[in-house]
Amino acid sequence: MNAFDNFFFIALPYAALLMFFVGTIYRYKATKFKFSSLSSQFLETRKLYWGSVPFHWGILFLFFGHLIAFLFPSSILLWNQQPVRLAILEISAFVGGIIAFVGIISLLYRRLTNPRIRKVTNYMDNILELLLIIQIFLGLWVAYGYRWGSSWFASILTPYLNSIFSFNPNIDAVIALPLVVQLHIILAFIIFMIIPFTRLVHLLVFPLSYLWRPYQKVIWNWNRRQVRNSRAKWNIHKPNNT
Amino acid sequence: MKCFVQKTALLFLLISFNLTSAQSTGQDIFSKTCFACHTIGEGKRVGPDLANVHQRRNEEWLIKFIQSSNSLIESGDSLAIAVFEENNKILMPDQPLTELEAKAVIDYISSNSPDPNNPNTKTPKQIFDPTSITQADIDRGKNLFEGTEKFENGGASCISCHAVEMPGVFNGGMLAKDITMVFSRMGAAGVDAIIRTPPFPAMINSFGENPLTDKEVKDLLAFLYDADQWNQTKKYSGNNDIVLIFAVILGLNFVFVLFLFKWNRVKKNSVNSFR
């Protein structure tokens, strides 16, 4: 068992870090213009809204939650000092998890069923969405079955992650955690590892103003189908963008 | 010849260094991981008194049991199952020790065991006296448990991972054991020792470098004793999970209404409409 633990909780995080850095530089140098998540809003709009918006709000809330618990564990412990505040934090995080889960499932459904989207889907898109679905499901399971994660993250996982980043790994506490929590950690490393090779690179070039800027949409100014119809009368005027 | 002497000297030095370090690791490991539940010749705590355990069981079995009592019991080993049954069915946590480290602990126990011809009749000294606790102690214990009062030396509150089911106590954590009836299971000495020198890696992470003060331990014991007593006569059925689930559903509704509101303001068609 020991070899497995060492592999998953010491070797894997370092491999993930290495692949992340080397892969990002390689990808940026090799395919600079593909360093984004190819937008498909132009091809399908409605389902995208109901998938992408809930998913992104949920995942951003959770991502920053995990990040804050890692960077400032004492702030989370301080907040959780009052049970009511603990409940508020856990409930909002759980709501975030559910909207992200519902969002990513509808995004995968859209990707698999819409013929236009299938044309612009590559192999890694499907794998990534599947991994994210499993990861969020595991996260919800941990949140429900092994609470209160916001508190014990700060006292169990933060020291573990610190030990990884200070090159002095200590996995005693992590290997004693329940299997579901361990799987959530392992899958997090795997997702981190494949960031450079998937559409996830968009989070590295993510302009922060996206968070508060108005919703942006790409639309045709002119109805192309109408323009191409030779029998139709020319009645197209300069669009009025008000 | 000179080279041979040098090498031998170095070898002896290494061996002697190894021996001393083995002894100190044995003591170190014992005081960090075993001490909370076991004594050597001072009677049963949570687990059995380990005095002269090396004479009662063979070393190979002991090492297996130390490393993973769990898998030994699952494999159907009758001795391991007997130990489990005799000790209130409390499972000894698996210890991530190498064979050498386990041996070092066994050596430490054997060299510190009392004379086997003079069997032990002592009981561990009692630190907790239920007659002397006051309501103030229990209340403070509850505050420490829930985290509304911080531990003097820092460290996460108990509620992060543990639950105590009793009216007036907030829903507890579920990562670790429910400790409502821990007093009946482990006794005052056991609970006291586990809080002071936790054998569980997650607890070591939280409290290894931030030990609790005497007063804090005393108040927590008072609270846990009170909870144990309450649960022996009554059954708490106030399952607050329903409230949490209801809150989540409410939150979801709120968020989806927000999305719907936003959806109304988004252009739906992929062609700009002329007005």
Side-chain angles (χ1 to χ4, degrees):
Chain A
M1 229 18 228
N2 218 347
F4 278 107
D5 294 335
N6 286 342
F7 174 75
F8 283 119
F9 298 112
I10 300 178
L12 184 64
Y14 286 120
L17 276 171
L18 190 70
M19 265 179 85
F20 172 74
F21 283 116
V22 175
T24 306
I25 295 167
Y26 162 77
R27 172 90 190 267
Y28 194 76
K29 292 225 168 237
T31 59
K32 197 176 256 179
F33 288 105
K34 283 187 173 177
F35 207 83
S36 80
S37 61
L38 188 64
S39 171
S40 55
Q41 175 263 313
F42 203 28
L43 306 172
E44 198 284 330
T45 298
R46 278 166 189 268
K47 282 184 197 146
L48 179 70
Y49 177 88
W50 287 107
S52 182
V53 173
F55 170 71
H56 279 100
W57 278 105
I59 205 80
L60 277 173
F61 182 69
L62 293 169
F63 175 75
F64 283 111
H66 283 70
L67 195 68
I68 290 169
F70 167 52
L71 293 177
F72 313 106
S74 50
S75 67
I76 298 282
L77 288 181
L78 200 65
W79 171 269
N80 283 348
Q81 226 176 319
Q82 289 295 336
V84 178
R85 294 198 301 230
L86 168 73
I88 291 173
L89 177 64
E90 288 275 343
I91 288 168
S92 358
F94 202 79
V95 168
I98 289 182
I99 59 174
F101 191 59
V102 171
I104 188 82
I105 285 181
S106 53
L107 282 176
L108 184 67
Y109 175 78
R110 167 181 179 266
R111 191 170 284 289
L112 294 178
T113 53
N114 191 312
R116 289 175 163 194
I117 309 300
R118 286 186 71 158
K119 280 274 182 252
V120 293
T121 294
N122 66 35
Y123 187 62
M124 281 312 269
D125 289 343
N126 291 330
I127 291 186
L128 178 69
E129 283 185 10
L130 212 61
L131 287 181
L132 283 173
I133 286 177
I134 299 171
Q135 179 70 341
I136 298 170
F137 178 74
L138 288 172
L140 287 170
W141 188 348
V142 171
Y144 184 76
Y146 302 100
R147 39 189 193 252
W148 301 110
S150 56
S151 276
W152 58 250
F153 186 107
S155 57
I156 299 177
L157 291 181
T158 304
Y160 161 65
L161 289 174
N162 279 334
S163 78
I164 292 287
F165 282 107
S166 57
F167 296 100
N168 183 21
N170 176 2
I171 59 169
D172 287 353
V174 176
I175 59 176
L177 287 173
L179 186 66
V180 185
V181 184
Q182 291 182 338
L183 287 175
H184 189 70
I185 299 170
I186 293 168
L187 202 53
F189 289 137
I190 292 175
I191 291 173
F192 186 73
M193 182 157 73
I194 61 170
I195 284 178
F197 310 106
T198 61
R199 59 195 292 112
L200 268 187
V201 288
H202 77 278
L203 65 90
L204 301 174
V205 287
F206 184 73
L208 273 177
S209 61
Y210 271 29
L211 288 174
W212 55 84
R213 130 198 129 170
Y215 190 85
Q216 192 181 51
K217 265 193 75 178
V218 183
I219 53 175
W220 292 107
N221 252 340
W222 297 30
N223 189 337
R224 316 303 285 186
R225 204 179 283 166
Q226 218 174 329
V227 172
R228 281 197 210 95
N229 188 349
S230 53
R231 271 178 284 187
K233 245 174 106 182
W234 186 263
N235 61 353
I236 294 176
H237 304 284
K238 203 174 171 209
N240 176 7
N241 271 333
T242 46
Chain B
M1 188 61 196
K2 199 179 163 194
C3 185
F4 176 74
V5 173
Q6 272 179 347
K7 273 187 185 165
T8 331
L10 200 66
L11 197 68
F12 272 108
L13 204 68
L14 274 175
I15 290 173
S16 61
F17 176 73
N18 245 347
L19 282 179
T20 50
S21 73
Q23 226 163 32
S24 65
T25 27
Q27 185 177 9
D28 224 36
I29 296 169
F30 188 86
S31 57
K32 272 188 194 147
T33 46
C34 318
F35 177 75
C37 306
H38 300 283
T39 68
I40 308 177
E42 284 174 32
K44 180 176 155 60
R45 201 171 271 164
V46 178
D49 186 339
L50 293 179
N52 295 312
V53 71
H54 59 291
Q55 292 173 353
R56 279 176 277 153
R57 307 269 188 269
N58 72 46
E59 192 176 75
E60 196 191 343
W61 185 89
L62 281 174
I63 291 172
K64 271 192 199 158
F65 193 90
I66 293 171
Q67 287 178 329
S68 178
S69 63
N70 206 346
S71 40
L72 206 57
I73 290 168
E74 272 174 16
S75 74
D77 184 286
S78 58
L79 274 176
I81 294 172
V83 172
F84 176 62
E85 300 278 343
E86 277 167 23
N87 291 284
N88 284 349
K89 299 194 175 180
I90 299 170
L91 205 60
M92 180 171 122
D94 292 356
Q95 302 298 337
L97 298 177
T98 63
E99 206 166 303
L100 274 179
E101 287 169 329
K103 269 187 186 155
V105 176
I106 298 169
D107 285 348
Y108 173 76
I109 294 170
S110 70
S111 60
N112 284 280
S113 290
D115 183 5
N117 299 324
N118 186 8
N120 158 62
T121 47
K122 280 189 271 182
T123 49
K125 61 174 190 278
Q126 281 298 329
I127 353 110
F128 178 75
D129 174 17
T131 53
S132 72
I133 55 176
T134 61
Q135 189 57 40
D137 294 343
I138 297 173
D139 289 344
R140 182 155 180 268
K142 175 177 170 279
N143 291 346
L144 289 168
F145 180 85
E146 285 187 333
T148 44
E149 191 169 333
K150 272 180 92 173
F151 290 120
E152 201 179 306
N153 297 324
S157 57
C158 316
I159 208 169
S160 312
C161 308
H162 294 287
V164 161
E165 276 164 31
M166 202 181 156
V169 181
F170 186 71
N171 287 25
M174 286 160 63
L175 184 74
K177 277 260 187 305
D178 180 316
I179 52 172
T180 313
M181 302 285 279
V182 74
F183 242 82
S184 310
R185 267 186 294 150
M186 296 188 169
V191 180
D192 182 283
I194 285 180
I195 295 176
R196 282 178 208 270
T197 48
F200 308 104
M203 272 180 87
I204 296 173
N205 257 9
S206 301
F207 305 111
E209 283 167 16
N210 332 302
L212 276 66
T213 63
D214 276 343
K215 179 83 177 94
E216 284 167 348
V217 174
K218 192 170 161 262
D219 292 341
L220 275 175
L221 286 177
F223 167 65
L224 290 171
Y225 174 78
D226 184 53
D228 192 273
Q229 290 294 310
W230 192 91
N231 273 276
Q232 277 180 1
T233 48
K234 295 172 203 115
K235 185 94 192 92
Y236 183 49
S237 57
N239 189 353
N240 295 336
D241 272 17
I242 309 285
V243 180
L244 295 177
I245 292 170
F246 186 72
V248 167
I249 293 171
L250 211 68
L252 280 175
N253 277 316
F254 174 71
V255 175
F256 273 95
V257 166
L258 278 188
F259 290 148
L260 205 62
F261 185 65
K262 218 175 154 197
W263 173 239
N264 283 334
R265 304 171 45 148
V266 168
K267 290 193 174 194
K268 311 281 186 306
N269 298 322
S270 51
V271 178
N272 203 3
S273 51
F274 306 117
R275 269 179 260 163

